Amino acid sequence: DAIRQANVVAVGDVRVAKLKASAFASQLGSLAEVMQRNFNAKVLGSVALLAGSLDDAQMDGLLDAFEERLFAEGEPIVKQGEPGSNFYIIKRGSASVDVDGEEVAVLEPAQYFGERSLLADAPVSATVTAKSKLAVMTLTKTQFETLLGRSLQAIVDAEKVRRKRAEEARAERAKIRWDDLEVLQVLGEG
């Protein structure tokens, strides 16, 4: 029952379907819920590790299972040495990754953590702390194993191979010597 915020003018021939707000809500949920799910799907789809690796059913299962958690700036999310209990994907904000008290990385939206301890059933290898107000999408260990366990290990293995090949290609390009270069044109002297 909100006041219309804008007018829409058709440019050319169009077909329009009218849907009552109550019908929309009963079929899809509230507009806020639909927008939130679409945003979560976009975040999930931008996770490099999972992009292109999940079918629609897996994506829907993840979207249904993920819960959003909020952390204040400076609040620890996981601590090095403790048992891993969740898989996290950063939705908004940033987080610091510390190993033995030294910052080794900063995680941004669409980056993830917690998968290694769940896959290996090992303690958490780093402390992750919110650098700013932080929103994460999280799965419990049970949800993670049910929804991603085996397939994620294959995805992680494939990602390791891809990264290794990319690093080898970068190293090969770095081997260019001055003798390998050819002067095509002088752009200026000075």
Side-chain angles (χ1 to χ4, degrees):
D1 294 330
I3 297 173
R4 186 176 318 277
Q5 298 294 316
N7 291 322
V8 178
V9 178
V11 178
D13 295 338
V14 296
R15 287 188 175 177
V16 177
K18 183 178 179 181
L19 186 63
K20 291 184 178 183
S22 59
F24 181 91
S26 69
Q27 293 297 311
L28 299 173
S30 73
L31 183 57
E33 289 169 344
V34 171
M35 290 174 62
Q36 187 65 37
R37 185 175 178 88
N38 286 343
F39 183 76
N40 288 350
K42 191 170 187 85
V43 170
L44 195 56
S46 65
V47 174
L49 182 70
L50 302 175
S53 303
L54 303 175
D55 60 33
D56 290 342
Q58 288 174 308
M59 180 70 86
D60 284 342
L62 283 175
L63 289 170
D64 290 340
F66 270 116
E67 289 186 27
E68 184 171 319
R69 291 196 49 205
L70 304 173
F71 294 90
E73 181 178 344
E75 187 176 354
I77 301 147
V78 296
K79 293 182 180 177
Q80 185 176 358
E82 292 184 353
S85 59
N86 289 292
F87 171 63
Y88 302 88
I89 298 174
I90 296 181
K91 187 173 175 179
R92 283 185 309 274
S94 62
S96 172
V97 180
D98 299 324
V99 175
D100 299 326
E102 183 177 330
E103 185 176 82
V104 295
V106 174
L107 300 175
E108 302 289 339
Q111 292 185 302
Y112 56 91
F113 59 97
E115 81 289 351
R116 289 184 197 152
S117 63
L118 298 182
L119 286 169
D121 199 26
V124 173
S125 61
T127 297
V128 180
T129 306
K131 280 185 81 92
S132 62
K133 280 179 70 175
L134 184 70
V136 297
M137 296 164 54
T138 184
L139 289 176
T140 66
K141 182 176 182 172
T142 303
Q143 291 169 319
F144 178 86
E145 290 171 345
T146 301
L147 294 167
L148 291 174
R150 290 189 185 125
S151 61
L152 187 60
Q153 184 62 58
I155 293 168
V156 168
D157 292 345
E159 178 67 7
K160 285 180 184 175
V161 169
R162 186 197 66 75
R163 285 184 182 178
K164 183 178 181 192
R165 287 183 182 151
E167 184 58 37
E168 288 170 352
R170 267 193 298 278
E172 191 61 35
R173 286 191 301 269
K175 292 181 181 177
I176 296 173
R177 298 182 317 262
W178 281 109
D179 300 0
D180 296 334
L181 302 176
E182 176 184 337
V183 177
L184 298 176
Q185 184 176 2
V186 176
L187 297 175
E189 292 184 36

